[in-house]
């Protein structure tokens, strides 16, 4: 059933109640999902959502009512039981957390399906509609449902704000928090309870299968945009709320589509946009940085290789065939060499269409010497790390910044190893030597 079945008249108050409910649900899921994502509890939301099904069925079997409050209590009890079982398995056995999550999810969901099947084949005259909790049914929400959901969501947001410092410690450095005297075990359990309640209030709108996506997807999307927790929570909340609004609006547009999956698809679309276009962590930004790095490395490779060869021959130019014999990638870097020629760094002599001889311009000599000096500093830094009492960063060694404090010592080491790039035609005119 979609919203289009009943959201027809403009200004229908029930439509606004549904919109308010899904927006609040997305906002709450975005905030709490940020902590779960950073705590590496991405699967926990999925487990809690599936563990809610037996609670809902038991609540119906015991009360015979489909009031959301009974379902909330039943789902909270089984969700709490699932989290305790996971904690017990990981604490008192050698089973890893991911295996425990998969085990508990399967068992609780299996029990829920068994109970649901039993209810459907029993004499309960009011059992219709329980299976809608599998995929959600936002259109069935009424004012009382939204009021209950909104009250619980606001309470969760207030509690998250009050325990922000403790939750931040839990996500980033639980050991440090424990050394400061914070009961990190209880705070971890508190976060689990927040997630249980958030999952339960979202079951009617998003369903058991899709509720986990509302917790993790906005947080994962927000992580692409910032490295600061408070900004990540705000962005995640905005993405979650916007997903709820967009999914509800599309469902109401009359395409006869369910609201819950549309909310999840909206959040997924925002995640995809974030993954591609985020300014620092996005794929596009990484691709641009990769291109820039490749161009810079190719530039340094050409200048340093050419300088080394000219220094060895004590010449101002070198033949293209000779350069290619030493550097097989010479032809592959031809576009970079042409760019260096346009920048006034290289002199390329041509015989017909082919490059026959290569040399450096005065500007090129200075840049090539600086490049070679920097690379040789990195080499001697690596050779004398213990003497310098400073370790060369392992990653992206060619991009490592050389601290000013160790430059004088590196120059001494370069001269000790006779690696000083001293060759320059202008310095050797008339037979003078460095």
């Amino acid at each position: 059933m979609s919203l289009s079945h009943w959201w027809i008249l403009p200004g229908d108050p029930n439509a606004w109640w549904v919109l308010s409910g899904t927006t609040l649900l997305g906002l709450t899921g975005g905030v709490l999902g940020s902590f779960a994502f950073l705590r590496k509890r991405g699967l926990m939301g999925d487990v809690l959502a599936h563990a809610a099904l037996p609670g809902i069925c038991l609540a119906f079997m015991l009360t015979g009512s489909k009031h959301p409050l009974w379902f909330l209590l039943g789902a909270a009890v089984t969700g709490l039981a699932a989290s305790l079982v996971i904690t017990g398995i990981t604490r008192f056995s050698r089973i890893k957390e991911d295996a425990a999550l998969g085990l508990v999810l399967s068992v609780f969901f299996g029990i829920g399906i068994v109970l649901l099947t039993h209810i459907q084949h029993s004499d309960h005259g009011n059992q219709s509609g329980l299976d809608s909790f599998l995929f959600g049914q936002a259109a069935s929400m009424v004012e009382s449902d939204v009021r209950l959901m909104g009250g619980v969501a606001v309470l969760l947001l207030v509690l998250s704000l009050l325990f922000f410092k403790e939750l931040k410690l839990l996500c980033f450095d639980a050991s440090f928090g424990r050394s400061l005297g914070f009961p990190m075990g209880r705070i971890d359990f508190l976060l689990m309870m927040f997630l249980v309640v958030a999952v339960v209030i979202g079951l009617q709108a998003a369903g058991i299968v899709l509720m986990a996506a509302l917790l993790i997807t906005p947080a994962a999307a927000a992580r692409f945009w910032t490295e600061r927790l408070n900004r990540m929570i705000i962005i995640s909340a905005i993405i979650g709320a916007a997903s709820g609004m967009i999914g509800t609006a599309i469902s109401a547009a009359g395409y006869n589509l369910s609201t819950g999956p549309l909310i999840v698809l909206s959040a997924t679309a925002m995640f995809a946009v974030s993954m591609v276009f985020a300014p620092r962590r996005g794929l596009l930004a990484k691709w641009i940085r990769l291109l820039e790095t490749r161009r810079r490395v190719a530039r340094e490779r050409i200048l340093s290789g050419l300088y080394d060869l000219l220094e060895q021959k004590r010449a101002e130019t070198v033949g293209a065939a000779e350069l290619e014999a030493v550097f097989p990638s010479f032809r592959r870097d031809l576009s970079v060499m042409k760019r260096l020629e346009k920048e006034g760094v290289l002199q390329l002599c041509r015989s017909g269409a082919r490059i026959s001889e290569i040399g450096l311009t005065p500007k090129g000599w200075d840049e090539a010497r600086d490049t070679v000096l920097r690379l040789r500093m990195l080499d001697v830094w690596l050779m004398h790390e213990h003497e310098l009492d400073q370790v060369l960063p392992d990653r992206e060694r060619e991009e490592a910044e050389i601290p000013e404090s160790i430059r004088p010592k590196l120059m001494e080491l370069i001269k000790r190893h006779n690696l000083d790039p001293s060759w320059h035609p202008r310095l050797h005119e008339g037979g003078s030597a460095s």
Side-chain angles (χ1 to χ4, degrees):
M1 183 178 179
S2 73
L3 286 172
S4 60
H5 289 291
W6 53 272
W7 188 358
I8 299 174
L9 298 177
D12 184 351
N14 212 26
W16 291 104
W17 282 117
V18 174
L19 185 65
S20 304
T22 53
T23 304
L24 264 176
L25 176 63
L27 191 147
T28 308
V31 172
L32 293 177
S34 298
F35 295 113
F37 179 82
L38 293 173
R39 184 63 179 153
K40 296 182 174 58
R41 293 281 174 82
L43 276 176
M44 181 56 73
D46 204 17
V47 174
L48 296 177
H50 284 75
L53 182 59
I56 292 172
C57 294
L58 287 173
F60 177 76
M61 293 170 69
L62 292 174
T63 64
S65 168
K66 292 194 293 185
H67 194 281
L69 182 59
W70 294 117
F71 289 167
L72 177 68
L73 292 174
V77 169
T78 50
L80 175 62
S83 64
L84 290 175
V85 171
I86 292 170
T87 303
I89 290 175
T90 54
R91 180 173 297 179
F92 299 111
S93 73
R94 302 183 68 177
I95 296 177
K96 300 295 184 184
E97 186 172 4
D98 56 343
L101 289 170
L103 182 67
V104 172
L105 184 151
S106 305
V107 170
F108 275 74
F109 191 60
I111 295 173
I113 293 296
V114 169
L115 292 176
L116 186 61
T117 306
H118 173 72
I119 291 172
Q120 288 173 339
H121 291 86
S122 66
D123 296 331
H124 289 90
N126 196 27
Q127 79 273 26
S128 64
L130 279 184
D131 54 350
S132 65
F133 280 92
L134 288 174
F135 301 103
Q137 193 174 35
S140 65
M141 294 167 63
V142 294
E143 179 181 346
S144 59
D145 299 334
V146 177
R147 285 186 182 278
L148 178 62
M149 177 192 296
V152 176
V154 170
L155 178 63
L156 286 175
L157 293 175
V158 171
L159 289 174
S160 300
L161 182 63
L162 290 175
F163 289 96
F164 178 78
K165 181 175 64 177
E166 290 79 3
L167 292 173
K168 184 177 180 180
L169 271 174
L170 177 68
C171 292
F172 290 106
D173 198 340
S175 300
F176 178 66
R178 198 171 292 111
S179 69
L180 294 177
F182 287 96
M184 303 313 293
R186 295 178 185 175
I187 296 171
D188 192 24
F189 184 74
L190 182 67
L191 175 60
M192 297 270 266
M193 290 302 97
F194 287 174
L195 293 175
V196 168
V197 177
V199 166
V200 170
I201 64 173
L203 290 179
Q204 190 174 2
I208 291 167
V209 178
L210 300 176
M211 185 55 212
L214 285 185
L215 283 174
I216 299 305
T217 308
R223 189 70 181 89
F224 282 105
W225 295 95
T226 182
E227 296 180 352
R228 299 179 66 87
L229 177 60
N230 52 354
R231 292 178 187 172
M232 178 181 168
I233 291 175
I234 293 172
I235 295 172
S236 178
I238 292 172
I239 292 175
S243 302
M245 295 176 67
I246 293 172
T248 307
I250 295 175
S251 177
Y255 296 111
N256 200 27
L257 299 172
S258 298
T259 308
L262 287 174
I263 294 173
V264 174
L265 288 177
S266 301
T268 305
M270 293 186 196
F271 171 80
V273 169
S274 302
M275 185 172 66
V276 175
F277 296 106
R280 294 187 61 187
R281 292 172 169 262
L283 295 179
L284 183 60
K286 286 184 177 179
W287 180 69
I288 292 173
R289 285 200 300 272
L290 179 62
L291 283 182
E292 291 175 348
T293 301
R294 285 180 176 175
R295 287 173 183 170
R296 183 182 56 73
V297 170
R299 183 188 187 99
E300 288 187 349
R301 182 170 61 239
I302 290 171
L303 291 177
S304 62
L306 184 59
Y307 184 91
D308 287 341
L309 197 56
L310 293 173
E311 184 184 43
Q312 180 183 351
K313 294 171 63 66
R314 296 283 170 173
E316 296 187 35
T317 61
V318 64
E322 192 175 1
L323 183 63
E324 188 173 9
V326 180
F327 302 103
S329 63
F330 162 67
R331 295 292 176 187
R332 193 171 62 233
D333 295 332
L334 200 57
S335 60
V336 181
M337 296 182 71
K338 290 179 178 177
R339 190 179 307 114
L340 289 173
E341 183 186 26
K342 289 181 181 178
E343 294 176 8
V345 176
L346 288 186
Q347 288 179 332
L348 303 180
C349 301
R350 292 176 173 80
S351 175
R354 295 180 63 85
I355 298 174
S356 59
E357 203 164 355
I358 304 167
L360 290 164
T361 65
K363 175 184 174 183
W365 277 108
D366 294 336
E367 183 173 341
R369 185 183 181 281
D370 292 341
T371 300
V372 170
L373 178 61
R374 178 177 175 281
L375 294 177
R376 291 181 183 178
M377 278 186 171
L378 292 174
D379 288 339
V380 295
W381 185 3
L382 183 63
M383 294 164 56
H384 296 272
E385 281 180 341
H386 294 294
E387 186 175 344
L388 293 166
D389 198 22
Q390 194 156 353
V391 178
L392 180 64
D394 291 333
R395 293 182 178 177
E396 299 176 347
R397 173 175 167 267
E398 291 77 10
E399 297 181 7
E401 292 291 334
I402 300 175
E404 290 294 331
S405 58
I406 65 171
R407 279 182 176 271
K409 183 63 177 177
L410 289 175
M411 285 303 300
E412 292 179 12
L413 293 170
I414 282 178
K415 290 178 179 176
R416 186 196 305 174
H417 291 282
N418 293 321
L419 294 175
D420 188 14
S422 56
W423 168 246
H424 194 302
R426 285 181 298 173
L427 299 177
H428 295 77
E429 288 177 356
S432 60
S434 61

